[in-house]
Amino acid sequence: MEKTIRYSAGESIVLGLAAPPAQERVFAAAPQATSAGMRYSAGESIVVGPAPAVENPLPAEPPPAAQAEEPGRTSGYSQAALIPLAAAVGDSVTTYIGLNHASLAEKNGLVNTSAAGLVGLFVIKAGITYYFDRQPKKIRESGLKITAGVWSGVTMNNLLLIAGSSNPLSLVGGVLFGAYMYHRESLALEKEAAGKRAPLPSARHMGTAE
């Protein structure tokens, strides 16, 4: 029976024989955090789960560019298009009244002077207004201001002629009134642009009254 020597580590070596090479023990290195917010189990490199994220109770505010840019519309027309539409109505109505006046006649041979023709002329002008109202900013503003000024001027010219004014005076009055309505349309467009630039209320500014 061979004698053996026992060690506290629990291994045994036979006397008289060369001791076998000690087994190399590989110790797992302590896990290190590779990124903030990650948790590991003891002595292992397995991710248990990410750190709980803090929820933001308030929605992010939309950037200014994401705010509404399209003006409010009624029946397809914006508020800024009301002046050209009113001028178109005034032109058709005063032309019809003037043509029934004994001393007045339409100088434009392309205009149908019947009631149906004047209604059709208004429909065309309403379509022109709708077209300009849907164009990009610069074209839209120029088109609405020009139509508001020209058709308002023609309306005033017709009214002065119906009232018995002489032709040069009626033309001057029409030009002045047309310039005034051109300016009014510019103010309407500026007011519309100022309303679009106003910031929208965000969730952090909204609250309930106590």
Side-chain angles (χ1 to χ4, degrees):
M1 180 176 180
E2 297 180 348
K3 295 181 180 181
T4 60
I5 298 175
R6 296 188 177 277
Y7 298 90
S8 61
E11 298 178 351
S12 61
I13 302 175
V14 180
L15 291 177
L17 299 178
Q23 296 180 355
E24 295 181 357
R25 295 181 178 273
V26 179
F27 298 93
Q32 298 180 357
T34 57
S35 61
M38 308 300 291
R39 295 187 291 105
Y40 299 88
S41 62
E44 298 181 358
S45 60
I46 302 176
V47 178
V48 176
V54 179
E55 297 183 358
N56 185 9
L58 298 177
E61 294 185 8
Q67 296 181 1
E69 292 291 339
E70 184 71 14
R73 297 182 182 276
T74 302
S75 300
Y77 294 92
S78 66
Q79 292 293 320
L82 295 182
I83 294 178
L85 286 175
V89 173
D91 183 11
S92 297
V93 172
T94 55
T95 299
Y96 178 78
I97 295 174
L99 291 176
N100 288 284
H101 198 280
S103 60
L104 300 180
E106 177 61 54
K107 298 297 183 180
N108 188 355
L110 299 177
V111 176
N112 187 341
T113 57
S114 66
L118 294 176
V119 171
L121 183 62
F122 166 74
V123 172
I124 294 175
K125 291 180 179 179
I128 293 174
T129 303
Y130 184 88
Y131 169 79
F132 281 127
D133 199 23
R134 296 285 181 168
Q135 295 306 301
K137 184 176 184 294
K138 291 185 177 181
I139 299 177
R140 175 176 179 265
E141 292 181 352
S142 298
L144 293 180
K145 288 189 287 187
I146 291 173
T147 52
V150 171
W151 296 337
S152 297
V154 173
T155 300
M156 179 56 66
N157 176 73
N158 292 342
L159 288 174
L160 292 175
L161 289 175
I162 294 171
S165 175
S166 61
N167 199 9
L169 182 59
S170 64
L171 289 176
V172 173
V175 170
L176 293 177
F177 186 72
Y180 170 73
M181 296 307 295
Y182 182 97
H183 176 67
R184 286 291 302 273
E185 179 64 21
S186 299
L187 295 179
L189 291 168
E190 290 177 3
K191 182 179 179 181
E192 177 188 88
K196 288 192 296 184
R197 287 194 298 267
L200 296 176
S202 60
R204 68 181 58 183
H205 297 108
M206 298 175 63
T208 57
E210 297 182 357

